[in-house]
Amino acid sequence: MLGSLTLIFLCQLVGELVAGALALPVPGPVLGMVLLFVILMLRRAVPEGLGQAAGGLQKAMSLLFVPAGTGVMLHFRLLGEAALPLGLGLLVSTVVTIAVTGLLMAWLSRGKADG
């Protein structure tokens, strides 16, 4: 399990280094996750230890929301002042996401029905 956690954090470190060195607008952990995904795709399987390590991290994921919740409470007044643009942004992005997902599913289903 220690080797699996090391692999996860090593991928995150490489992602941070690449994002910092190339000044990419993508967060380092996202690049690290893509790197880990590519590694797993090349292996064509998820090692058992890696699955257990990832499951353990998922169980503790709720702890990651504590800093975000603290930030919301700290800047509650500022968020209240920007409630209208934030609400509109959430509404529009949700509608667009649902529409794109529906269109993509219709397109993918059409291709599957033909073949």
Side-chain angles (χ1 to χ4, degrees), residues 1-110:
M1 189 150 156
L2 184 59
S4 298
L5 284 172
T6 302
L7 175 63
I8 291 170
F9 291 129
L10 184 64
C11 286
Q12 181 177 355
L13 175 64
V14 169
E16 290 281 2
L17 292 174
V18 169
L22 301 177
L24 297 174
V26 179
V30 172
L31 292 177
M33 186 171 51
V34 170
L35 174 64
L36 181 60
F37 178 72
V38 168
I39 291 170
L40 293 176
M41 290 296 293
L42 293 173
R43 285 194 59 151
R44 296 185 178 260
V46 177
E48 184 179 336
L50 184 61
Q52 290 175 348
L57 288 173
Q58 277 183 321
K59 289 178 184 173
M61 194 180 296
S62 61
L63 293 174
L64 300 176
F65 291 102
V66 172
T70 303
V72 166
M73 295 308 295
L74 183 65
H75 299 290
F76 194 72
R77 186 176 58 86
L78 182 61
L79 289 170
E81 293 171 1
L84 183 61
L86 287 172
L88 286 174
L90 284 169
L91 181 67
V92 169
S93 65
T94 301
V95 169
V96 168
T97 300
I98 291 171
V100 168
T101 302
L103 291 171
L104 184 61
M105 284 302 298
W107 179 68
L108 290 173
S109 296
R110 187 184 67 222

